[in-house]
Amino acid sequence: MSIRHGLLALLERGPRYGSQLRTEFESRTGSTWPLNVGQVYTTLSRLERDGMVVQDGEDEAGHPLYAITDSGRVELRSWFEHPVDRTSPARDELAIKLAMAVGAPGVDIRDVIQSQRRHTVKAMQDYTRLKAQALTAVEKNGDRERDDIAWLLVLEQLIFQTEAEARWLDHCESRLIRLSSTAQAAGPEPASPGPEPASPGAVAGAAGTGARAAAGTEETARHRP
């Protein structure tokens, strides 16, 4: 998430002070990514160092105001015009957790997947309820309230993201079950001394959980406009 560019976008609408920028940023994103004032002022200091914002006096309450510069506008336009780079994806904690759980001693990866699936489906349902609220706000205010529309777009992205995560978890479970079946068909491996890592066979009993996940997804779909 680019706090840097988000603040520049808000400053393009006029000079603002730190707490005001934090409030407007959270309002625009529905508090999905909360900021603290320290983050805001640290980012403003770096933008000022890079010549993209300048201090522009104070408001009536004595808050120092920041304004975007021409260099800041060029940077902002470039951000809007260029796609988000996916060649170096951000580290995903869930992917790392499942990768490390494979073969980890004493870890039943089936339990890890099922626990995450329950959490993911619940998050999907929560996002769907919030989407219904956002849609109501948009219908009430029309296109006059840009914050409601921005929040709706963010929520829809989160819904698509959690749906994809639920499908990926089903895929992981199916993959492990297939690997377990292949290993069993090949016969038992020779015993080795010392503690053994969790076998792929530990996930063989996971069959049927996909149906439970599907039920949760259907529940979500019933709430989706």
Side-chain angles (χ1 to χ4, degrees):
M1 178 189 62
S2 180
I3 299 173
R4 173 188 181 94
H5 293 100
L7 297 185
L8 286 175
L10 294 173
L11 287 173
E12 195 175 34
R13 299 168 60 186
R16 281 157 170 71
Y17 57 88
S19 296
Q20 187 178 12
L21 286 167
R22 181 191 65 175
T23 299
E24 291 187 14
F25 185 96
E26 293 185 351
S27 177
R28 184 67 62 89
T29 60
S31 297
T32 303
W33 300 287
L35 299 178
N36 59 56
V37 175
Q39 283 179 290
V40 172
Y41 278 108
T42 296
T43 305
L44 286 172
S45 295
R46 291 172 180 167
L47 289 170
E48 186 176 15
R49 177 200 63 194
D50 295 339
M52 296 184 189
V53 304
V54 293
Q55 292 196 36
D56 188 30
E58 300 179 344
D59 67 359
E60 295 179 354
H63 299 117
L65 297 173
Y66 290 82
I68 191 171
T69 64
D70 290 340
S71 295
R73 290 188 176 89
V74 170
E75 174 70 15
L76 183 60
R77 294 276 77 75
S78 176
W79 184 56
F80 282 134
E81 292 169 2
H82 290 81
V84 175
D85 185 16
R86 299 298 186 192
T87 57
S88 299
R91 293 181 181 89
D92 184 279
E93 182 179 355
L94 177 57
I96 294 172
K97 178 188 286 188
L98 291 189
M100 297 302 170
V102 174
V107 176
D108 187 341
I109 194 170
R110 172 185 57 190
D111 292 341
V112 177
I113 291 175
Q114 290 178 349
S115 175
Q116 183 64 43
R117 183 187 285 113
R118 287 192 294 270
H119 175 81
T120 300
V121 171
K122 181 181 183 303
M124 195 189 313
Q125 294 169 343
D126 291 341
Y127 292 145
T128 302
R129 282 192 289 271
L130 290 173
K131 177 184 175 180
Q133 297 176 18
L135 280 171
T136 300
V138 169
E139 291 169 358
K140 178 180 178 181
N141 299 321
D143 59 2
R144 294 172 297 175
E145 186 49 73
R146 69 184 73 189
D147 286 351
D148 291 333
I149 298 173
W151 185 34
L152 176 61
L153 295 178
V154 169
L155 285 169
E156 289 176 332
Q157 190 270 343
L158 291 171
I159 290 170
F160 290 140
Q161 190 176 61
T162 50
E163 286 176 340
E165 183 171 286
R167 291 196 300 272
W168 178 66
L169 289 168
D170 287 342
H171 168 77
C172 290
E173 190 170 65
S174 298
R175 170 77 70 186
L176 291 167
I177 290 173
R178 288 197 300 271
L179 291 174
S180 172
S181 299
T182 301
Q184 290 175 353
E189 296 181 358
S192 58
E196 296 181 355
S199 167
V203 302
T209 53
R212 291 194 293 275
T217 304
E218 290 173 3
E219 173 65 19
T220 301
R222 286 197 293 270
H223 292 283
R224 185 171 303 138

